[in-house]
Amino acid sequence: MTPIYKVWEALTEKLPTALQESYDNCGLQVGDPSQIATGVLCCVDITEAVLQEAIAKGCNMIIAHHPLLFKGLKQIGTSSYIERCVRLAIRHDLTIYAAHTNADNADGGLNYLLAEELGLESVTALAPMSDTLMELVTFIPAKKLNQVAEALWAAGAGTIGAYDSCSYRSSGQGTFRALDGAHPFVGEIGQLHVEPEERLSLTFPAYRQRQVEQALLASHPYETPAYSVTRLQNVHPRIGAGVIGELPEAEPVDSFLRRVTDYFKTEQLRYSVTEKTAIKRVAICGGAGAFLWKQAKRAGADILITGEAKYNDYFDCEGAPILCTVGHYESECIATQLFAQIISDKMPNFAVYQSELDSNPIKALQHP
C-alpha cells in the first residue's frame, strides 16, 4: 500500500518543485498526503468534470499541470469553479497536486518530451537557469575515495550534460588532532596526525543538496568530515525555460508546419510572416512562451513553437525565428503523458490514468 506522498515523491524526483518560477504554486493543492493512494489521474486542468472522472476511476489523487490554487482564496463557496472544485475534493477526500513550471523547466520535462516527439536531436535548454548548480569539495582517505564518490554519484552529484560519474581529484595531506571524546577513524587521541588524503570535487543541482550531504555523511569514514558547499553562478545547460534542438534533416517550412499542425491536432496554428524556406533548428516552449523569441533568435533557431503569443510578438520577431503558436492547451496536453510515464516507470504496478476529458476552455470555429 502506497501513501500519496510517495507518489508525488516519485514525480518530484524527476520534476523538482525547486525549479518552479517565483510566481507559481506547484505542489500540494488540496488533501491529505498521508492517506493510502488508490490510483492517480493525470490531467492538464482541474475541473469539476475531471474530479468526477477521478471518482469514477477510483482515484483519490489527481496530478494536474495547471495549479488549481494559483491565487489565494478568501472564501470556499460556490461562486467559482475553483471554489466548487475545492469543496468537491474535500467532500470526496481527494488529493490534488500540481506540477507546472517545474515540469516546464526540468531536464527531461514537458518541453524535452515535445522535442523528442517532434524528432529533435542534441536538445538543450533554450534559456538555461543560473544559480541552480552547487559544488561540493571534501577530503577523504585515499583508500575510501571510491566508496564516497560512488555514494555521491548515486545521490545525484557528478552529472554534467550527457556525462555522469564526473569528479575532480587531487592528492595531498590532511592534518588533525583528535580531542577527548572523539572516535577517530585514524590517529590517536591527543596526537597530531598526518593522513594522505584525496581532495574530491563534484557539482550537483542545488535542489539535491540535502541528499548529497546526507550521502557524504553516511559514506565518509571520518567522524566529522571536512567539506564545503558553494553555490555556482554557472548556468545549467539542461534546466530552464524552453528547449532547442535540431532536426536530422532540414524540412521545407510548409511541410514542417503541416507536421506540427497534425502532431498538436490544433485548429488554430498561427505563425509570423517569414522569408525562411526551410526549418532545421527548432525551439519549443509549451504554454505562453513567446517571450523567448529573442533567446531563440540568439540561439539560431529557425522557428519557435509555443502555445500562445500577443499580436505584437508576431511583428517584433520579424519572422526570424518564425513564431508559431499552436494553442496553449494543445502545447501542454502532453503533460498527462509525462506524469503517467514518470510514475509508471517508478511504480510499474500502480494504477495511473490519463484524463480522457478535453479541458481546453478555448474553442475555435472553422471558417466554411
Side-chain angles (χ1 to χ4, degrees), residues 143-152 218-221:
K143 60 185 177 182
K144 295 292 185 178
L145 177 63
N146 289 336
Q147 167 187 305
V148 176
E150 288 173 5
L152 293 172
S219 62
H220 202 292

Side-chain angles (χ1 to χ4, degrees), residues 56-95:
K57 285 180 163 60
C59 299
N60 63 351
M61 182 179 186
I62 303 167
I63 297 175
H65 185 47
H66 292 139
L68 176 66
L69 301 179
F70 201 75
K71 299 178 181 178
L73 285 179
K74 294 187 176 180
Q75 64 180 34
I76 304 177
T78 59
S79 61
S80 71
Y81 84 93
I82 296 175
E83 293 176 32
R84 294 192 298 271
C85 284
V86 171
R87 284 168 54 90
L88 184 59
I90 293 174
R91 187 181 307 128
H92 290 274
D93 210 12
L94 304 177
T95 295

Side-chain angles (χ1 to χ4, degrees), residues 108-265:
L110 184 149
N111 291 312
Y112 280 92
L113 185 54
L114 286 175
E116 179 183 332
E117 298 269 300
L118 289 174
L120 302 190
E121 300 174 344
S122 304
V123 181
T124 58
L126 177 59
M129 282 185 168
S130 60
D131 296 322
T132 61
L133 286 171
M134 305 190 86
E135 180 186 26
L136 169 71
V137 174
T138 188
F139 305 88
I140 312 160
K143 60 185 177 182
K144 295 292 185 178
L145 177 63
N146 289 336
Q147 167 187 305
V148 176
E150 288 173 5
L152 293 172
W153 292 334
T159 296
I160 302 175
Y163 298 84
D164 66 8
S165 304
C166 301
S167 67
Y168 182 78
R169 308 169 182 204
S170 57
S171 301
Q173 290 185 322
T175 66
F176 55 84
R177 177 185 290 121
L179 304 178
D180 290 342
H183 299 87
F185 174 70
V186 290
E188 300 296 333
I189 298 292
Q191 295 183 10
L192 180 66
H193 180 78
V194 179
E195 179 72 17
E197 291 181 339
E198 295 287 327
R199 182 185 190 273
L200 178 67
S201 171
L202 312 91
T203 59
F204 61 90
Y207 60 82
R208 291 193 179 275
Q209 182 175 357
R210 181 177 62 84
Q211 295 96 314
V212 168
E213 288 193 33
Q214 287 178 343
L216 172 66
L217 296 176
S219 62
H220 202 292
Y222 286 174
E223 183 179 19
T224 307
Y227 72 96
S228 61
V229 175
T230 306
R231 185 174 291 273
L232 305 177
Q233 292 185 335
N234 306 48
V235 297
H236 194 304
R238 290 185 59 83
I239 290 177
V243 296
I244 187 164
E246 296 195 352
L247 296 167
E249 301 289 339
E251 293 186 32
V253 170
D254 289 347
S255 173
F256 183 74
L257 290 177
R258 282 194 294 271
R259 185 157 74 87
V260 168
T261 302
D262 292 341
Y263 172 75
F264 287 102
K265 299 180 176 62

Side-chain angles (χ1 to χ4, degrees), residues 41 45-55 85 88 355 357:
L41 178 67
D45 304 286
I46 295 293
T47 66
E48 292 162 277
V50 168
L51 295 179
Q52 294 291 359
E53 181 185 16
I55 295 168
C85 284
L88 184 59
S355 177
L357 302 178

